[in-house]
Amino acid sequence: MKRLLLVATTALSASLSIAPLNAQTTDSAAPATSAEETSGGIEDIVVTAQRRSESLQNVPIAVSAFTADQLRNQGVSNTLELGRFVPNLVSMNNTGIGTANAFYLRGLGNTETIPTFDPPVGTYVDDIYLSRQNANNINLFDVERVEVLRGPQGTLFGRNTTGGAVNVILKEPGNEFGGFAELGYGRFDKKVARGSVDIPLADTFAIKVSGYWQNDDGYVKNVTTGQRLNDDDGWGARLGIRGELSPSIRWNGSYAHIIANGENILNFQCNPADPTDCKGRFATTGIPSGKSSEDSPFSTLPITGRKKNFLLGNYTTTDLVTSNFEFDVADHTTVSLITGYVSQDQTYALDFYDGRSGPSLANPIPPVRGYERGGFAILTDGQHEQFSQEVKVNGRLADGLIDYVAGAFYLVENNRTDFADTFTLSPTTTLVLADRLLRNKTEALAGYAQVDVNVTEQLKLTAGIRYTDETKTLDVHDNRASCNDGTLEATCLDTSNLVGPSGLAVPDKLKAKLWTPRFAVNYKVTDDVLLFTSATRGFKSGGWNARATAANAFLPFGPEKVWSYEAGIKSDWFDNRVRANLTFFYADVSDLQTPSALVNPNGSATFITRNFADFTNKGIEAELTVVPVDGLHLYVNAGYQDAKYKIDRDAPDFDEYGIQSVAAQQRACQALLAAGNIPGGTGTTAACGAGIVTPEGEIADPTRTPNWTVAFGGSYELELGSSGMSLVPSINASYRSSQETNAANYTIYSGGITGTNGTYPSNPYDGDIITGSFSPAAWFVNANLALNGADKKWQFSVSCTNCFNETAANTSLVNTRYIDPPMTWMARARYNF
């Protein structure tokens, strides 16, 4: 399929280059228009949040949109960094994997990359959905704009958008020859090269060739191996094609090839081997870094496949093919054929314990060991392929009374994941906890329609609906020799052995058929003031707990469903000098999917994901932009949210698979506490500080839902006399209040404690934080200073990210805290031609 699509793209490109073509400019191809060019006001961004081109201020959806210039001025070079500018958005790398982003939007997110899990914040590139978040930390080297849609988008964007969507729109080839070239150098010996060129080959046919390359040493020093870790290396190239076959037929297509090598390996502010050394970032794992070697420390273990030769690191290769044919079939009616193909390969060996055992009350700071096989390591060799086809119709009826968008969508995804978990007890003893081959497939069909009735020039009523029919299948095979000798023991992790603790067999097929409607009312008070309210349904697919290392824990979980209600205002004031957008929301989520993990008595980890509870979140989001004088741009974005779990107090003590309900678990925990037990100590880890029950026996606060997120800053373009040159300083500050980063809110604090189940050198209640879930409030500051040449033909700039070297944690795993990167700086030179 991959070769077929590439051949078809190449052949079509060649045919377009010699066909008789006619010039035509369409709304969908038009670049964003800057109101500043005509009125000196705020930029008016054209977005496609409703699957058609509209002004941002006319869209009745909570959308944060950024043009390429805004992204550059705010120091945003990849999608991960959007989390510091969008209200109620928390973004972080998945634990260990620097190429993977986990977005939490209004409290809904997912930290898993195993393909039996789907992210509830969808990532799209030119209308193509990226099913996997293995490599969704997209380098923004050739974008037109980025849109972050807050709240469920289940009607027009489909499944797996219960939290929202990140929509990346790439630049199309221009009508004139031109482009840019950029070089940069920064901290940790980081080197960057970027470039793009538009090449018109005919009046109606043009191509764009763009690419980037980056390399750095990594900001973490491994004091055991002497190597540098957490680098962000890679390169990418893209060919974009735009042509008009006739006055009524247009085509946009592209092919991108991206190589990324990025890690987010556990590291510390102070050297664990020498706690007095706090100058830098440190790791102590003994696994040597690299891609693959026959001398890998895992090569002598009973592990199958090429993964046994992996070294410490994460590597991804992505091929992305997009194609969009547009046909004007009648007045005000356009049909789009949108085709996408995504291929992602990922290989990694990651140590999640820094060469040690997991922190616990009994052993809050495990000693440095430096074992060559690390501590708790996962070796993964994955291949993921996805094909999607969409037919979309945009039109207008009854002389403008009705605007509509409708379509049909098909997606098929095939995944193959060969992965093993190891836990090292001594220099000579390493347990292979599991070695299995997972194959799973998703096939989804959907039809959708949304109709806008323009009742008057001011009043618009909207109704939409989508029907999705989805089937997921699963096959798991245990790679261990004892499971392939002609007999299949009950302990083998094989599809036929997947049975819950109750004895109920786990299904190898999951089906979902759901309707996801949307209703909205828009009222234009004036041309510059829009009031809107809406109710929207969304759902996220179910799946299996594929991180399990035992057959009776490889359990299914059901779909996550949400109703979201919004009311807001979008407004421009004072001749486009002030823009104020405000949204109130309430989200009611049923069967929330919640990943959880805990430390076993031997120091290894157990993973479980269930529909533990329902979830509600209510809040407000405000975005204010001010241009008081020409050249000065100021902004404040703020979000407030109040999220809570809701559990079923009347649920049976055990579900059909034999898993204890949250209510029963909470009662068991409270009974242990009443008897004087210390949570997290002997005999309590299954009840207290597990799932979504806190060490205190309460229902936990949802993860990554800080009450407040605030971003503010600005830029000023200072003209340097009559030279045509300008100096542009900009600064951006962001704040988030405290948050919890693991499901059970389990944090280990300094200070010994004694209970009926023992005496421990640390406690789960209060004191100085040693490690765990709680992450205090944090501020971050980015700054940039740019010198522009006449007509902005060239630019020199110096920027810093996390300028004051603040430290915070947005994620954790089995009591370990993963902290954000340190301060970095970058000097760049850019030439536009």
Side-chain angles (χ1 to χ4, degrees):
M1 178 63 72
K2 178 178 176 180
R3 291 191 183 97
L4 178 61
L5 283 170
L6 294 179
V7 170
T9 301
T10 304
L12 186 53
S13 302
S15 65
L16 286 172
S17 66
I18 59 175
L21 304 177
N22 299 282
Q24 180 174 348
T25 301
T26 68
D27 290 341
S28 61
T33 302
S34 173
E36 185 180 3
E37 295 174 359
T38 56
S39 65
I42 298 169
E43 190 172 21
D44 181 21
I45 303 176
V46 174
V47 298
T48 53
Q50 294 195 113
R51 307 300 307 279
R52 60 178 177 243
S53 296
E54 300 172 282
S55 168
L56 172 67
Q57 292 301 94
N58 292 330
V59 177
I61 299 173
V63 184
S64 299
F66 306 86
T67 66
D69 287 341
Q70 288 173 327
L71 294 169
R72 188 164 58 249
N73 290 339
Q74 293 175 198
V76 177
S77 60
N78 56 53
T79 50
L80 175 70
E81 295 164 349
L82 294 170
R84 294 185 180 171
F85 301 95
V86 177
N88 290 330
L89 174 64
V90 175
S91 63
M92 67 280 185
N93 286 138
N94 279 44
T95 51
I97 305 175
T99 58
N101 289 350
F103 296 109
Y104 274 70
L105 196 44
R106 295 180 178 175
L108 297 179
N110 179 29
T111 56
E112 266 292 357
T113 58
I114 284 290
T116 56
F117 296 79
D118 293 309
V121 179
T123 300
Y124 295 79
V125 177
D126 283 350
D127 283 332
I128 304 303
Y129 172 58
L130 302 184
S131 297
R132 301 293 105 231
Q133 61 182 31
N134 308 63
N136 66 342
N137 189 17
I138 299 169
N139 193 301
L140 302 175
F141 69 96
D142 194 23
V143 300
E144 178 70 32
R145 66 184 182 278
V146 177
E147 305 167 8
V148 180
L149 287 63
R150 306 190 294 276
Q153 309 297 321
T155 302
L156 294 179
F157 285 86
R159 55 195 265 284
N160 301 335
T161 54
T162 50
V166 176
N167 197 14
V168 178
I169 295 89
L170 302 177
K171 284 187 177 179
E172 296 178 0
N175 294 319
E176 298 179 356
F177 180 84
F180 76 92
E182 181 180 276
L183 295 174
Y185 182 80
R187 193 182 184 194
F188 307 114
D189 198 29
K190 185 163 188 173
K191 298 172 282 291
V192 174
R194 305 171 187 260
S196 179
V197 58
D198 294 326
I199 307 172
L201 301 179
D203 290 343
T204 56
F205 179 68
I207 64 172
K208 173 189 283 288
V209 179
S210 52
Y212 78 96
W213 171 86
Q214 62 187 42
N215 182 273
D216 66 84
D217 290 342
Y219 61 83
V220 174
K221 180 180 180 180
N222 187 336
V223 297
T224 300
T225 66
Q227 296 173 305
R228 306 291 297 191
L229 305 178
N230 286 12
D231 54 345
D232 186 13
D233 301 339
W235 63 273
R238 173 179 176 250
L239 171 66
I241 304 170
R242 177 181 57 80
E244 290 83 35
L245 281 71
S246 74
S248 60
I249 303 176
R250 300 167 297 279
W251 180 61
N252 288 290
S254 71
Y255 168 66
H257 181 74
I258 300 171
I259 303 289
N261 167 21
E263 295 84 39
N264 178 31
I265 292 170
L266 185 65
N267 62 95
F268 304 88
Q269 288 177 277
C270 296
N271 182 357
D274 179 9
T276 62
D277 182 5
C278 299
K279 295 181 179 179
R281 292 288 183 84
F282 302 91
T284 69
T285 178
I287 306 175
S289 59
K291 190 169 185 179
S292 182
S293 170
E294 293 183 357
D295 296 326
S296 164
F298 301 103
S299 62
T300 57
L301 294 178
I303 295 175
T304 62
R306 62 179 185 174
K307 63 184 183 294
K308 68 186 303 177
N309 293 324
F310 288 174
L311 301 174
L312 189 70
N314 169 61
Y315 301 85
T316 65
T317 301
T318 301
D319 289 293
L320 172 62
V321 178
T322 68
S323 173
N324 187 345
F325 277 97
E326 291 185 345
F327 304 84
D328 295 330
V329 297
D331 289 342
H332 309 297
T333 303
T334 300
V335 176
S336 301
L337 303 179
I338 304 169
T339 307
Y341 173 78
V342 185
S343 172
Q344 287 186 346
D345 293 344
Q346 181 179 40
T347 61
Y348 66 76
L350 298 172
D351 183 0
F352 293 91
Y353 277 174
D354 190 43
R356 297 174 271 174
S357 61
S360 64
L361 284 189
N363 191 16
I365 306 176
V368 173
R369 294 169 173 170
Y371 295 154
E372 192 179 26
R373 294 180 185 140
F376 173 55
I378 298 180
L379 318 174
T380 298
D381 184 2
Q383 294 86 42
H384 315 282
E385 288 196 347
Q386 168 197 316
F387 173 80
S388 63
Q389 180 63 61
E390 182 177 8
V391 180
K392 178 169 67 79
V393 182
N394 290 83
R396 177 171 293 180
L397 299 173
D399 198 25
L401 175 64
I402 295 175
D403 295 312
Y404 69 90
V405 56
F409 177 81
Y410 172 75
L411 176 141
V412 60
E413 179 191 4
N414 288 285
N415 302 289
R416 181 187 184 277
T417 310
D418 187 7
F419 61 122
D421 299 3
T422 70
F423 184 59
T424 299
L425 301 175
S426 72
T428 58
T429 305
T430 297
L431 305 177
V432 178
L433 303 176
D435 181 8
R436 62 283 205 204
L437 176 63
L438 171 68
R439 290 186 175 93
N440 65 298
K441 178 180 179 180
T442 299
E443 192 165 14
L445 285 165
Y448 64 89
Q450 178 172 296
V451 175
D452 299 321
V453 181
N454 301 300
V455 180
T456 68
E457 290 186 359
Q458 290 77 36
L459 179 63
K460 178 183 293 186
L461 305 179
T462 299
I465 195 163
R466 188 185 191 102
Y467 176 73
T468 302
D469 184 341
E470 174 191 83
T471 301
K472 290 186 171 182
T473 56
L474 169 88
D475 179 72
V476 61
H477 174 73
D478 201 314
N479 292 325
R480 291 176 294 181
S482 62
C483 299
N484 292 273
D485 59 1
T487 61
L488 190 66
E489 295 87 353
T491 55
C492 294
L493 198 55
D494 188 271
T495 307
S496 60
N497 281 346
L498 301 185
V499 178
S502 68
L504 180 64
V506 171
D508 60 3
K509 178 182 291 187
L510 298 176
K511 294 183 69 68
K513 298 181 180 181
L514 284 93
W515 296 91
T516 49
R518 169 178 166 78
F519 306 97
V521 178
N522 306 359
Y523 185 73
K524 274 275 193 180
V525 179
T526 69
D527 287 344
D528 296 323
V529 178
L530 170 69
L531 303 178
F532 67 91
T533 184
S534 67
T536 308
R537 176 77 156 164
F539 89 97
K540 175 177 179 283
S541 299
W544 292 268
N545 181 39
R547 287 289 180 199
T549 56
N552 65 356
F554 204 110
L555 301 176
F557 49 87
E560 172 182 294
K561 300 173 285 291
V562 58
W563 269 106
S564 177
Y565 308 92
E566 292 185 356
I569 179 173
K570 293 190 173 185
S571 61
D572 289 321
W573 305 89
F574 308 112
D575 195 23
N576 280 346
R577 292 288 183 174
V578 176
R579 174 169 294 168
N581 296 341
L582 189 68
T583 305
F584 299 87
F585 71 89
Y586 176 78
D588 187 2
V589 182
S590 57
D591 298 320
L592 180 73
Q593 297 171 9
T594 307
S596 179
L598 55 88
V599 178
N600 296 320
N602 69 354
S604 63
T606 290
F607 298 89
I608 185 169
T609 295
R610 303 293 291 157
N611 302 100
F612 284 116
D614 296 338
F615 170 91
T616 63
N617 196 2
K618 57 182 180 291
I620 185 172
E621 295 157 348
E623 295 177 295
L624 175 67
T625 305
V626 182
V627 182
V629 296
D630 289 354
L632 178 60
H633 293 252
L634 306 173
Y635 74 91
V636 179
N637 299 333
Y640 171 80
Q641 59 185 333
D642 181 13
K644 302 291 183 186
Y645 289 126
K646 296 192 305 180
I647 69 169
D648 183 0
R649 293 293 176 186
D650 299 322
D653 286 356
F654 294 89
D655 67 13
E656 67 271 32
Y657 290 101
I659 302 301
Q660 191 176 38
S661 71
V662 175
Q665 178 194 341
Q666 186 182 23
R667 291 195 301 270
C669 174
Q670 291 172 346
L672 289 169
L673 297 177
N677 287 273
I678 304 301
T682 302
T684 67
T685 54
C688 298
I692 60 170
V693 176
T694 70
E696 295 85 357
E698 304 296 330
I699 299 301
D701 291 330
T703 59
R704 301 172 189 87
T705 55
N707 290 131
W708 290 97
T709 53
V710 180
F712 64 89
S715 64
Y716 181 62
E717 185 170 4
L718 176 65
E719 300 291 342
L720 300 180
S722 59
S723 65
M725 298 169 61
S726 63
L727 191 65
V728 184
S730 63
I731 188 167
N732 307 279
S734 63
Y735 167 84
R736 64 146 180 82
S737 57
S738 62
Q739 64 176 350
E740 297 287 349
T741 60
N742 76 32
N745 299 176
Y746 191 89
T747 299
I748 299 174
Y749 298 94
S750 63
I753 194 170
T754 297
T756 56
N757 59 337
T759 297
Y760 303 95
S762 57
N763 76 89
Y765 297 123
D766 56 51
D768 295 330
I769 297 175
I770 297 177
T771 188
S773 173
F774 184 71
S775 181
W779 277 98
F780 291 93
V781 175
N782 296 350
N784 184 74
L785 181 64
L787 176 65
N788 294 315
D791 298 324
K792 297 185 178 179
K793 293 289 291 183
W794 54 265
Q795 182 186 80
F796 292 108
S797 65
V798 179
S799 63
C800 62
T801 302
N802 187 13
C803 300
F804 296 107
N805 204 30
E806 296 297 320
T807 302
N810 280 332
T811 192
S812 60
L813 179 69
V814 282
N815 298 346
T816 58
R817 302 172 74 232
Y818 281 71
I819 53 180
D820 288 351
M823 185 275 290
T824 59
W825 57 264
M826 174 69 67
R828 300 176 187 265
R830 178 185 177 103
Y831 180 73
N832 300 315
F833 57 90

